[in-house]
Amino acid sequence: MQHIAVLGATGSIGTSALDVIARHPERLRASVLAAGGRVEQLLALCERHRPAHAVIADAACYPALRDGLRARGLDTQAHCGDEALVALVSGDACDTVVAAIVGAAGLDSTLAAARAGKRLLLANKESLVLAGELLMRAAHEAGTTIVPIDSEHNAIFQCLPDAHAHAGLARILLTASGGPFRGRDRASLAEVTPEQAVAHPKWSMGPKISVDSATLMNKGLEVIEAHHLFGVSGERIQVLVHPQSLVHSLVEFVDGSTLAQLGLPDMRTALAVGFGWPERIASGVAGLDLLAQGRLDFEAPDLDAFPCLGLAFAALSAGGTAPAVLNAANEVAVSAFLQRRIGFLAIPALVEDTLAALPSTPATSLAVLRDADAQARRYAAQAIDDKA
Ligand SMILES: NC(=O)c1ccc[n+]([C@@H]2O[C@H](COP(=O)([O-])OP(=O)(O)OC[C@H]3O[C@@H](n4cnc5c(N)ncnc54)[C@H](OP(=O)(O)O)[C@@H]3O)[C@@H](O)[C@H]2O)c1
């Protein structure tokens, strides 16, 4: 029996993970469920999945969680805060961790899972962007298996099953849906609203990653993610816009062969790969009917309309603290956009300004990266206040 900690259980990935877990009661069990502040949703999940532990990040919500569990007659233990989460992830309560907290808030628990040698289903891409080298080193030293839970990286993972395949890898071709504003020029994006930005044409996701998809920052974060996961430089990663979102990514080998993984756009496939690997288990996702789909199109990304992708390539090439600064400024900008405090085009402008104001320094330790993250958040927040 695999005992699974689902971090970000109330979110889009968390919900999909619990759906796959519930399909396999004979081999999968949710033993820890963790969320940020939505207690009622967490309680409902506890009632359904009966975990041994439930964790809420927001301390103010702890009494409601504890009393709610008691009122429902559940013997799930209530906890709160990041320290409790890190302890549970590191200890015997689980052997598999689904890291699906959104943003840099997921860093400590993701790192803890990597250090503890758990099977790590890694959706929290921000932790890889922020501290990719440290995270990969910790995983390597602890013998941790990381299965990426991003459809693109999961596709690449499936195409590179062993060291021989890795050795012959020439390039990664990362596909992108293009988001809801594909085909539009920069000027026409000035007035788009949060509602339009989160209405993704192919994927149903949380608000932050949906906005990232609309700006193409999501693809930029994924380029950095691919660099860390697969040890490939930015020059060997090409982004292809593929509006059907059926080809989840491709790898090209030195002999001219290109392999791809295809499937319907549903994260349960990647999660089932993560739980079952190297076996295949049912995910609830139907197979792909290519005749019904009809066609597969590919085009180059428009870096003028969507400058975030270019900013991410530049941050990867600068290295050091630059990706942490990029990620932090983007989190602040996206949050301000969702609150209607800034416009859509201010997101790349703010990220660019923050990167220029805080030039990259060597990322010698986690403390240095955390400091860069904090400085970037302060700088970006101040820039927003100054303009308001
Ligand atoms: N959705 C996708 O299809 C997809 C695909 C690839 C990668 N990802 C990545 O997966 C991660 C999650 O994305 P999502 O779309 O599932 O986001 P989401 O729907 O917004 O869910 C975010 C989850 O994180 C929890 N959370 C927020 N802050 C927290 C904190 N400080 N401590 C503990 N938990 C906290 C939330 O809890 P509350 O509900 O209590 O706030 C919620 O459970 C992101 O890194 C995203 O980039 C997502």
Side-chain angles (χ1 to χ4, degrees):
M1 181 67 77
Q2 231 172 299
H3 290 89
I4 303 161
V6 183
L7 317 185
T10 48
S12 162
I13 291 286
T15 305
S16 294
L18 289 167
D19 180 283
V20 177
I21 291 168
R23 290 169 192 275
H24 300 277
E26 72 300 342
R27 66 184 287 169
L28 305 178
R29 173 161 192 264
S31 56
V32 179
L33 297 183
R38 290 190 291 172
V39 180
E40 285 309 315
Q41 284 89 336
L42 182 58
L43 284 168
L45 292 175
C46 289
E47 204 156 21
R48 165 119 201 271
H49 298 278
R50 312 266 163 161
H53 305 274
V55 191
I56 197 86
D58 183 351
C61 299
Y62 173 72
L65 177 63
R66 180 197 56 207
D67 299 347
L69 289 169
R70 232 181 266 152
R72 286 167 175 77
L74 300 173
D75 54 15
T76 303
Q77 255 182 278
H79 310 259
C80 80
D82 224 26
E83 249 175 64
L85 185 58
V86 164
L88 283 167
V89 161
S90 309
D92 295 338
C94 61
D95 42 51
T96 298
V97 175
V98 179
I101 291 175
V102 62
L107 177 63
D108 286 345
S109 48
T110 303
L111 255 179
R115 287 182 175 138
K118 306 292 163 116
R119 173 180 287 234
L120 177 53
L121 277 63
L122 180 50
N124 176 236
K125 65 185 85 184
E126 295 90 348
S127 62
L128 261 180
V129 172
L130 173 50
E133 267 134 39
L134 286 168
L135 183 56
M136 294 307 289
R137 201 181 317 135
H140 182 72
E141 284 169 6
T144 299
T145 302
I146 297 183
V147 183
I149 305 298
D150 223 348
S151 57
E152 298 77 1
H153 306 76
N154 193 269
I156 297 161
F157 173 87
Q158 293 184 54
C159 292
L160 294 176
D162 55 33
H164 294 295
H166 265 277
L169 177 64
R171 278 197 311 158
I172 284 176
L173 303 160
L174 209 56
T175 53
S177 69
F181 306 134
R182 182 177 66 88
R184 289 177 61 164
D185 63 17
R186 190 169 185 163
S188 77
L189 297 174
E191 304 300 329
V192 298
T193 63
E195 288 75 17
Q196 291 167 323
V198 300
H200 197 278
K202 293 289 172 191
W203 294 94
S204 161
M205 308 182 286
K208 193 260 177 183
I209 185 176
S210 297
V211 175
D212 285 346
S213 296
T215 61
L216 286 202
M217 181 57 94
N218 183 49
K219 210 48 52 182
L221 299 179
E222 288 180 4
V223 167
I224 300 172
E225 193 185 359
H227 159 74
H228 289 299
L229 286 168
F230 305 111
V232 173
S233 67
E235 294 78 46
R236 288 165 63 207
I237 303 173
Q238 184 186 358
V239 172
L240 289 177
V241 174
H242 165 51
Q244 291 87 3
S245 294
L246 298 173
V247 179
H248 295 307
S249 275
L250 312 91
V251 295
E252 185 186 296
F253 294 100
V254 288
D255 60 6
S257 302
T258 297
L259 295 188
Q261 183 261 349
L262 285 77
L264 291 173
D266 186 322
M267 289 308 293
R268 290 177 302 170
T269 298
L271 286 154
V273 169
F275 292 132
W277 193 261
E279 289 172 31
R280 297 281 181 170
I281 62 171
S283 66
V285 181
L288 186 57
D289 181 348
L290 279 172
L291 285 179
Q293 298 290 343
R295 53 186 292 169
L296 302 172
D297 296 303
F298 300 93
E299 59 197 53
D302 179 348
L303 294 182
D304 180 52
F306 304 102
C308 283
L309 180 56
L311 291 171
F313 268 108
L316 173 58
S317 153
T321 52
V325 169
L326 171 101
N327 178 65
N330 181 59
E331 283 192 32
V332 172
V334 170
S335 166
F337 170 70
L338 285 168
Q339 294 164 36
R340 297 174 207 280
R341 297 184 62 214
I342 62 171
F344 186 76
L345 293 179
I347 299 174
L350 199 61
V351 173
E352 190 171 5
D353 283 358
T354 311
L355 280 166
L358 303 172
S360 174
T361 59
T364 44
S365 67
L366 192 54
V368 168
L369 289 164
R370 283 194 203 283
D371 186 52
D373 172 274
Q375 279 192 51
R377 281 172 203 273
R378 275 197 302 274
Y379 181 90
Q382 188 62 52
I384 292 169
D385 285 349
D386 289 348
K387 285 202 179 95

